[in-house]
Amino acid sequence: MTPFPIDSIIELTYLIATALFVMSLKWMSSPTTARHGVWAGELGMLLAIVGTLLNRSIVDYKWVAIALVLGTIIGVPLGKVQMTAVPQRTALSHAFGACCVTLVGTAEFYLRAPAVPKFMMSVLSMEVILGSLTFTGSLMAAGKLQEILPQRPILFKGQNIVNLGMLLVAIGVAVFLVLHPDHTYLFPALLAIPLLFGVMMIIPIGGADMPTVISLLNAYAGLSASAMGFVLDSKLLIVAGALDGASGLILSVNMSKAMNRSFSNVLFGGFGQEQTVAKGGKETRPVRSASPEEAAEILAVASKVVIVPGYGMAVAQAQHKVRELYDNLTKRGIDVKFAIHPVAGRMPGHMNVLLAEADIPYDKLLDMDEINGEFPQTDVALIIGANDVTNPAARTDTTSPIFGMPILDVDKAHTVMVIKRSMAAGFAGIDNPLYYLDKTLMLFGDAKGFVGSIVRELSGSGNHG
Amino acid sequence: MTPFPIDSIIELTYLIATALFVMSLKWMSSPTTARHGVWAGELGMLLAIVGTLLNRSIVDYKWVAIALVLGTIIGVPLGKVQMTAVPQRTALSHAFGACCVTLVGTAEFYLRAPAVPKFMMSVLSMEVILGSLTFTGSLMAAGKLQEILPQRPILFKGQNIVNLGMLLVAIGVAVFLVLHPDHTYLFPALLAIPLLFGVMMIIPIGGADMPTVISLLNAYAGLSASAMGFVLDSKLLIVAGALDGASGLILSVNMSKAMNRSFSNVLFGGFGQEQTVAKGGKETRPVRSASPEEAAEILAVASKVVIVPGYGMAVAQAQHKVRELYDNLTKRGIDVKFAIHPVAGRMPGHMNVLLAEADIPYDKLLDMDEINGEFPQTDVALIIGANDVTNPAARTDTTSPIFGMPILDVDKAHTVMVIKRSMAAGFAGIDNPLYYLDKTLMLFGDAKGFVGSIVRELSGSGNHG
Amino acid sequence: MKMDLITSLYVFMLAAIVGLEVIRRVSPLLHTPLMSLTNALDAIAVVGAILLAGEHKTTLSTVLGTIAIVAATSNVVGGFFITDRMLKMFKASRSPKP
Amino acid sequence: MKMDLITSLYVFMLAAIVGLEVIRRVSPLLHTPLMSLTNALDAIAVVGAILLAGEHKTTLSTVLGTIAIVAATSNVVGGFFITDRMLKMFKASRSPKP
Ligand SMILES: NC(=O)c1ccc[n+]([C@@H]2O[C@H](COP(=O)([O-])OP(=O)(O)OC[C@H]3O[C@@H](n4cnc5c(N)ncnc54)[C@H](OP(=O)(O)O)[C@@H]3O)[C@@H](O)[C@H]2O)c1
Ligand SMILES: NC(=O)c1ccc[n+]([C@@H]2O[C@H](COP(=O)([O-])OP(=O)(O)OC[C@H]3O[C@@H](n4cnc5c(N)ncnc54)[C@H](OP(=O)(O)O)[C@@H]3O)[C@@H](O)[C@H]2O)c1
């Protein structure tokens, strides 16, 4: 009866951690259980790290300890960023993850070189290639989202050929190294080329497309982590990487579907640029606009209101004012719901997070599919800083760049009110026929300010009445 | 550049087979793709078998070939059985599967004995214990369903203690063998005891409970196959076993839920017996009964009819007559749907298969949850050989043994017609208040015969009109 | 051995999760064919039996292996056969109405 | 090595299927937290980095390992932290109406 050896204990912690990670994602399926998900994830992570620290092959804890402390110190502020900064934070953490994977891969190569078995070398190359291009790519994405770098896509002739070429060269080198691992001097190329490729890959992509790109990079990051798992023969790592990859893939597919655009269009389309070029002769048709007073009166007499938030609400940080509006209207017994388009804002679930931050109960936030049926019975559809996701052209105008993109059928409501600062176009850079309907009232102004004055009016009239 | 070694090719076939097996089950999610599922499964199986035959450690193909041929010869008739015989066929094939697993396990033990590593010995014992009890258990189940063995449960005092005792002894022996594998003479006990247990386990269970039992045995069979996978270190086998186990588990849970009974109640309740003892003083309240003519007239003037098939339809083989009725009514422009209770009949999906066999389109077969809302708008609910699944007592009468079991709300229909041979009770052995409602008409007779005469009437009157 | 155990556990755990996730979504329409299909898939145990009978290590192992092959093969053939027969029977209306 | 490759492939394949099945069912409400959560989980790569830095085989490996730990740890801490912060914000109505 030998006692249970330490190695099997470690292996067991990894197994349990794997199970916890899967549970963690299962619990994310509903907001009621989601927090258990986080706890499960944390517990699994803790188990795995402690288990690793027990490993007898660790001879020196000094650097490990220092690094763990340092990482924590950097991590805390990254966990405290504003909700509006979440996209760039996500991009940044992809960069960190990829960085970790690439460095480990590099070290592993030089520890094993020159006698690296074929299979080992192939996963190693995959690990470092994916890792390093994800690293620079994510940094670029973060930069564009933080608006340190120019938002608009930079295009030059033959760009795609050049990029493709680089990628092929990198793969070629990898193949050569698999066959002749003794040519270790070639290895740095497996880092350098993808690092450059990562930059070139992002340059031609518009700032507003970054979310889709981030999700793709998320998938890459996951794959590289899995590859690392193959190298270190760590099943836990393989599973975690696969899960991460799957989520990145699903999110990017969702987004392109909801935008009715193909990956290639996102990656090579240079879409964001169109923002500048206005489609055809600028519209000059008249629109009806209204003041906060009028808007307030219309809302006050409504019995069912649907609020459609968009990127503008995020930019204006208007969610708290919107919450006041919601409270005021519900107090009057008006049924208020929120219509959330899958790609409203600039990242998946953007609107949900902002509105949740403003304490609006999540059962009032309805998916496009859930709410679209309700617009015909809706008295007022109040659009706050949304544009493309309400553009009827997507349904009718086959020539429109967003034709076929599923939209919120706000035009079916009795009255439509649109809060935005101007007649300017949205992300897709196209005009919105909705604004010229007779039932539509344009409420020009900053989302936060305008909603604020509506609320003031309402509470005012509330006192009179 | 060594050529790709044969072993890795074999391993690859196994990997692909695993993927195909998973796909196969994914495709079962809808009838439109289900057949692809079968093909994927077949392809996977073929790949795996061919891969195995390539294995260089096979020195003699004679017996393998003979066995494969023999197996096929036995398999074909097993694939041709009547739809009504499917339950016992399923039970029988569990027995075969378990037999295979047990024999291989036994052989593996004697090949390795006496020097069997602890872990190996523990999975081995699990394999043979589960395998052998599933073997006899399934045989018993098949016997009861085929009515070779007495249907009703045989109960004697202290039965459960005896059974439990046997199981514990078997486990005890297993543990001992794990610690002292050199006592090989004990191994036969790991076969004998569970074989006996399998018989004892089924004796106290009523024939009609067999489906639930079969699903449980299905789960066991899967688990033992997985254990075998552990022994032979075959991932493919582990996966296949796990999938099989999962399906068995899910089906048995579904069934007990739909019957509102716990496993323990199914396994130790001796439920089926109540069939004989009539609940309380036999009902003598009057019921309204009607002739095929009257029934036909009522149906002819209806605009929405819901047919509720049950075990009786299966026994009477009435599905083809029912199909004629369906055709006749739909031709008259009457909207005819079928209400399928999850446990109508004697196995999961029993009714669906029979009605599909009679060429009734599956989009007319509605789940309990889908159809229950429609009964209030239904003119005629025609119940054909169903009883318990329509028993309103399950909703109201807390003393009823089936209280809490979800049922079809036929009593909400304007008129209810019940085709059965007598006032006799159904599987649960209890009286059905439904039959005494004023809106209810009893149509006494054999399902096949009665439906047949209704159809004759209808086509007759069809000619007159 | 130990390592084998662990990796096998990973495979078993993940496969079980996949099974539960996937099979929970099988249409109740198809629960009978589902039973016979999983049954046929489970008979993949035949590969183990084939090796046993083919390696011909001892008479016992060969005999047991041979019987095992027969049992499993009959499941494979019968299982797939009847499943396909059942599924062939499921047809949608020519013009499916809601 | 070969065997490792194969078993690793099994694990990867099954894990990918689990991922696709499970994550497809994550409520769209939670797609932002989902991103940061998977991100934190992915940082499990830290275990590899810890071994690398701890085993102290060469100066290079130790240095790279140490940096790697820092990068990964910051993801772990930051990722879980912000995910939980976001999820805390999601509240149902006191009296949820249909
Ligand atoms: N969610 C994602 O994951 C994602 C990812 C990539 C791309 N996208 C794209 O982003 C777009 C999202 O659609 P959307 O309707 O939410 O946004 P949008 O179409 O970009 O329109 C936003 C509107 O808000 C207005 N606005 C900006 N700042 C404002 C402020 N401070 N106050 C009031 N209004 C303001 C702008 O009009 P004014 O300038 O006149 O004020 C603009 O028309 C879609 O085209 C989608 O494809 C989304
Ligand atoms: N589906 C499953 O997986 C499963 C598994 C285990 C148990 N069960 C149980 O089986 C029962 C199924 O409910 P059910 O309503 O379908 O069946 P049931 O409650 O058993 O009733 C069947 C009825 O059909 C009538 N019948 C029998 N032979 C007939 C014939 N030749 N012609 C016309 N009628 C005939 C019988 O009445 P007469 O004798 O008066 O004709 C009997 O009352 C449930 O209690 C369920 O819990 C189901």
Side-chain angles (χ1 to χ4, degrees):
Chain A
M1 293 281 64
T2 59
F4 212 47
I6 183 78
D7 299 6
S8 358
I9 296 182
I10 297 178
E11 280 304 326
L12 217 63
T13 61
Y14 290 170
L15 183 68
I16 299 169
T18 311
L20 284 168
F21 282 8
V22 174
M23 287 315 299
S24 162
L25 290 175
K26 269 194 74 61
W27 274 321
M28 285 297 282
S29 56
S30 130
T32 53
T33 55
R35 289 193 69 195
H36 305 350
V38 179
W39 298 328
E42 289 169 342
L43 182 58
M45 187 62 70
L46 191 69
L47 270 175
I49 292 179
V50 171
T52 311
L53 292 175
L54 292 179
N55 193 312
R56 270 199 256 70
S57 65
I58 298 184
V59 292
D60 170 7
Y61 283 93
K62 185 165 82 288
W63 290 110
V64 176
I66 295 175
L68 286 173
V69 173
L70 253 172
T72 316
I73 294 170
I74 303 177
V76 171
L78 277 176
K80 285 193 168 153
V81 299
Q82 283 296 318
M83 282 306 140
T84 38
V86 166
Q88 39 274 51
R89 196 213 78 90
T90 312
L92 205 59
S93 56
H94 288 145
F96 283 176
C99 163
C100 167
V101 169
T102 316
L103 294 178
V104 174
T106 312
E108 290 292 334
F109 175 80
Y110 285 111
L111 285 176
R112 288 178 166 76
V116 191
K118 287 191 173 39
F119 152 67
M120 171 62 77
M121 190 60 223
S122 19
V123 274
L124 243 174
S125 343
M126 192 165 140
E127 175 184 345
V128 290
I129 292 180
L130 279 172
S132 35
L133 73 85
T134 309
F135 177 60
T136 44
S138 307
L139 284 181
M140 291 289 293
K144 284 204 173 195
L145 285 163
Q146 189 65 39
E147 293 174 11
I148 303 166
L149 300 174
Q151 291 275 63
R152 38 168 204 72
I154 298 156
L155 301 166
F156 58 82
K157 266 186 96 306
Q159 195 165 31
N160 298 338
I161 291 83
V162 174
N163 293 356
L164 206 66
M166 280 197 293
L167 201 55
L168 290 179
V169 174
I171 294 169
V173 175
V175 173
F176 184 83
L177 265 172
V178 170
L179 304 183
H180 315 291
D182 46 327
H183 294 262
T184 50
Y185 59 86
L186 279 174
F187 185 81
L190 286 189
L191 302 170
I193 303 175
L195 284 173
L196 183 57
F197 175 80
V199 177
M200 302 294 284
M201 175 178 69
I202 303 302
I203 283 182
I205 303 177
D209 263 339
M210 280 310 128
T212 329
V213 174
I214 290 178
S215 312
L216 265 182
L217 291 170
N218 190 346
Y220 294 160
L223 278 183
S224 59
S226 268
M228 176 171 162
F230 276 80
V231 173
L232 306 179
D233 189 23
S234 152
K235 309 282 175 268
L236 168 57
L237 199 41
I238 295 178
V239 173
L243 295 175
D244 192 34
S247 106
L249 186 68
I250 288 177
L251 288 182
S252 32
V253 169
N254 284 357
M255 266 190 275
S256 358
K257 274 222 198 83
M259 292 190 264
N260 189 42
R261 294 172 51 198
S262 67
F263 276 167
S264 60
N265 178 307
V266 171
L267 293 181
F268 311 119
F271 196 69
Q273 76 188 343
E274 299 174 12
Q275 231 147 345
T276 49
V277 294
K279 275 256 161 305
K282 196 102 212 66
E283 279 286 359
T284 49
R285 281 185 278 157
V287 299
R288 291 169 55 211
S289 76
S291 69
E293 296 75 6
E294 300 167 273
E297 282 158 15
I298 298 173
L299 285 170
V301 298
S303 69
K304 182 176 172 57
V305 173
V306 172
I307 299 179
V308 180
Y311 174 61
M313 184 188 81
V315 180
Q317 284 291 299
Q319 60 269 31
H320 298 284
K321 285 287 166 207
V322 170
R323 198 269 144 73
E324 293 176 21
L325 179 61
Y326 165 82
D327 285 341
N328 189 307
L329 293 177
T330 35
K331 260 199 224 67
R332 296 159 175 268
I334 302 173
D335 165 22
V336 184
K337 293 211 180 91
F338 291 80
I340 311 295
H341 189 284
V343 293
R346 286 294 183 268
M347 64 176 173
H350 198 171
M351 295 297 126
N352 301 306
V353 176
L354 291 177
L355 294 171
E357 182 191 10
D359 271 338
I360 291 169
Y362 60 75
D363 46 303
K364 295 296 178 193
L365 312 178
L366 282 84
D367 239 3
M368 172 165 62
D369 311 340
E370 295 167 318
I371 194 84
N372 260 347
E374 300 192 18
F375 279 111
Q377 304 86 273
T378 303
D379 301 310
V380 183
L382 175 60
I383 301 170
I384 303 178
N387 184 341
D388 299 342
V389 299
T390 64
N391 192 334
R395 260 196 261 108
T396 53
D397 172 4
T398 51
T399 68
S400 164
I402 65 167
F403 176 72
M405 162 172 167
I407 62 153
L408 294 163
D409 304 335
V410 286
D411 53 339
K412 298 222 167 68
H414 304 325
T415 312
V416 179
M417 298 200 282
V418 182
I419 301 182
K420 65 200 297 285
R421 296 164 310 180
S422 68
M423 291 300 291
F427 163 75
I430 57 170
D431 198 37
N432 190 340
L434 178 73
Y435 303 155
Y436 308 101
L437 301 177
D438 304 342
K439 61 165 71 166
T440 305
L441 277 176
M442 300 300 293
L443 311 177
F444 291 114
D446 171 78
K448 189 171 185 174
F450 205 104
V451 174
S453 26
I454 294 181
V455 173
R456 227 172 297 104
E457 284 306 320
L458 282 170
S459 25
S461 62
N463 303 350
H464 306 325
Chain B
M1 291 285 68
T2 60
F4 211 48
I6 183 78
D7 300 7
S8 357
I9 297 181
I10 298 178
E11 281 303 327
L12 218 62
T13 61
Y14 290 170
L15 184 68
I16 298 169
T18 311
L20 284 167
F21 282 7
V22 174
M23 286 315 299
S24 162
L25 290 175
K26 271 195 73 61
W27 274 322
M28 285 297 281
S29 57
S30 129
T32 52
T33 54
R35 288 193 71 196
H36 305 350
V38 179
W39 298 329
E42 288 168 343
L43 182 59
M45 187 63 69
L46 191 69
L47 271 175
I49 292 179
V50 171
T52 312
L53 292 175
L54 292 179
N55 192 312
R56 271 199 257 69
S57 65
I58 297 184
V59 294
D60 170 7
Y61 283 93
K62 186 166 83 287
W63 290 109
V64 176
I66 296 174
L68 285 173
V69 173
L70 252 173
T72 316
I73 295 171
I74 303 178
V76 170
L78 277 176
K80 284 195 169 147
V81 299
Q82 284 297 317
M83 281 308 141
T84 38
V86 167
Q88 40 274 51
R89 196 212 79 88
T90 313
L92 206 59
S93 56
H94 288 146
F96 284 177
C99 164
C100 167
V101 169
T102 317
L103 294 178
V104 174
T106 313
E108 290 291 336
F109 174 81
Y110 285 110
L111 285 177
R112 289 180 166 75
V116 192
K118 287 194 174 38
F119 153 67
M120 171 63 76
M121 189 60 222
S122 21
V123 274
L124 241 174
S125 347
M126 194 166 139
E127 175 184 347
V128 291
I129 291 179
L130 278 173
S132 35
L133 72 84
T134 309
F135 177 61
T136 45
S138 306
L139 283 181
M140 291 289 292
K144 285 204 173 195
L145 286 164
Q146 189 64 39
E147 293 173 9
I148 302 167
L149 299 175
Q151 290 276 67
R152 43 170 199 70
I154 298 157
L155 301 167
F156 58 80
K157 264 185 97 306
Q159 194 163 32
N160 298 339
I161 291 83
V162 174
N163 294 356
L164 205 67
M166 280 197 291
L167 202 55
L168 290 179
V169 174
I171 294 169
V173 175
V175 173
F176 184 82
L177 266 171
V178 170
L179 304 183
H180 315 291
D182 47 324
H183 294 262
T184 50
Y185 60 86
L186 278 175
F187 186 80
L190 286 189
L191 302 170
I193 303 175
L195 283 172
L196 183 57
F197 176 80
V199 177
M200 302 295 283
M201 174 179 68
I202 303 301
I203 284 182
I205 303 175
D209 263 338
M210 280 311 128
T212 329
V213 175
I214 291 178
S215 311
L216 265 182
L217 292 171
N218 191 345
Y220 295 160
L223 279 183
S224 58
S226 268
M228 177 171 162
F230 276 80
V231 173
L232 305 179
D233 188 23
S234 152
K235 308 285 176 264
L236 168 58
L237 199 41
I238 294 177
V239 173
L243 295 175
D244 192 34
S247 106
L249 186 67
I250 288 176
L251 288 181
S252 30
V253 169
N254 283 357
M255 265 189 277
S256 9
K257 274 222 197 80
M259 290 191 266
N260 188 43
R261 294 172 52 197
S262 67
F263 275 169
S264 62
N265 177 306
V266 171
L267 294 180
F268 311 119
F271 196 68
Q273 74 187 341
E274 299 174 11
Q275 233 144 348
T276 48
V277 294
K279 274 251 160 308
K282 195 101 213 66
E283 280 285 358
T284 49
R285 281 185 280 156
V287 299
R288 293 169 53 212
S289 76
S291 70
E293 296 74 8
E294 301 167 87
E297 282 158 17
I298 297 173
L299 285 169
V301 298
S303 68
K304 180 175 172 61
V305 174
V306 173
I307 299 179
V308 180
Y311 174 61
M313 184 188 81
V315 180
Q317 283 291 299
Q319 62 269 32
H320 297 284
K321 286 287 167 208
V322 170
R323 198 273 145 70
E324 292 177 23
L325 178 61
Y326 165 82
D327 285 342
N328 189 304
L329 293 178
T330 35
K331 260 198 226 69
R332 297 159 174 269
I334 302 173
D335 166 21
V336 185
K337 293 213 181 91
F338 292 80
I340 311 295
H341 189 284
V343 293
R346 286 294 181 269
M347 65 177 171
H350 198 170
M351 295 298 126
N352 301 305
V353 176
L354 290 176
L355 294 172
E357 182 191 10
D359 271 338
I360 291 169
Y362 61 75
D363 46 301
K364 294 296 177 195
L365 312 179
L366 282 84
D367 239 5
M368 172 165 62
D369 311 340
E370 295 168 316
I371 194 82
N372 260 348
E374 300 192 20
F375 279 111
Q377 303 88 274
T378 303
D379 302 309
V380 184
L382 176 60
I383 300 170
I384 304 178
N387 186 340
D388 300 343
V389 298
T390 65
N391 192 334
R395 261 196 261 107
T396 53
D397 171 5
T398 51
T399 69
S400 163
I402 64 168
F403 176 71
M405 161 172 166
I407 63 156
L408 294 162
D409 303 336
V410 285
D411 53 339
K412 298 223 166 65
H414 304 324
T415 313
V416 180
M417 297 199 283
V418 183
I419 301 182
K420 66 202 294 284
R421 297 164 309 179
S422 66
M423 291 301 290
F427 162 76
I430 56 170
D431 199 36
N432 190 340
L434 177 74
Y435 303 155
Y436 308 101
L437 300 178
D438 305 343
K439 64 165 70 167
T440 304
L441 278 176
M442 300 301 293
L443 311 177
F444 291 113
D446 171 77
K448 190 170 184 177
F450 205 104
V451 174
S453 25
I454 294 180
V455 173
R456 226 173 296 103
E457 285 306 321
L458 282 170
S459 27
S461 62
N463 303 349
H464 306 327
Chain C
M1 185 75 272
K2 268 260 158 289
M3 267 327 287
D4 281 5
L5 159 61
I6 290 287
T7 50
S8 299
L9 280 176
Y10 277 96
V11 172
F12 178 75
M13 187 178 75
L14 292 169
I17 297 170
V18 170
L20 293 172
E21 287 293 320
V22 168
I23 291 167
R24 205 140 31 82
R25 296 186 171 82
V26 170
S27 145
L29 267 177
L30 301 180
H31 275 168
T32 306
L34 172 67
M35 279 203 289
S36 48
L37 179 63
T38 51
N39 220 274
L41 298 184
D42 196 40
I44 187 67
V46 72
V47 299
I50 291 177
L51 285 180
L52 200 58
E55 284 170 349
H56 206 323
K57 285 183 185 154
T58 68
T59 330
L60 177 70
S61 70
T62 316
V63 173
L64 296 184
T66 311
I67 307 175
I69 297 178
V70 176
T73 314
S74 62
N75 267 0
V76 174
V77 176
F80 282 126
F81 189 8
I82 195 162
T83 311
D84 199 43
R85 255 181 68 215
M86 290 189 218
L87 292 177
K88 268 212 290 291
M89 303 186 313
F90 284 87
K91 301 180 200 62
S93 335
R94 299 122 218 73
S95 58
K97 308 168 202 86
Chain D
M1 185 75 274
K2 268 260 156 292
M3 267 327 287
D4 281 3
L5 159 62
I6 290 287
T7 50
S8 300
L9 281 177
Y10 277 96
V11 172
F12 178 74
M13 187 179 75
L14 291 168
I17 297 171
V18 170
L20 293 172
E21 287 293 320
V22 168
I23 290 168
R24 207 145 25 86
R25 299 189 167 79
V26 170
S27 147
L29 268 178
L30 301 181
H31 276 168
T32 306
L34 173 66
M35 279 203 289
S36 48
L37 179 63
T38 51
N39 219 276
L41 298 184
D42 196 40
I44 187 68
V46 71
V47 300
I50 291 178
L51 285 180
L52 200 58
E55 284 169 351
H56 206 322
K57 285 184 184 152
T58 68
T59 330
L60 177 70
S61 70
T62 315
V63 172
L64 295 184
T66 310
I67 307 175
I69 298 179
V70 176
T73 314
S74 61
N75 267 0
V76 174
V77 175
F80 283 125
F81 189 7
I82 196 163
T83 311
D84 199 43
R85 254 182 68 215
M86 290 190 218
L87 292 176
K88 268 213 289 293
M89 303 187 314
F90 284 87
K91 301 181 199 60
S93 330
R94 297 122 220 76
S95 59
K97 308 168 204 84

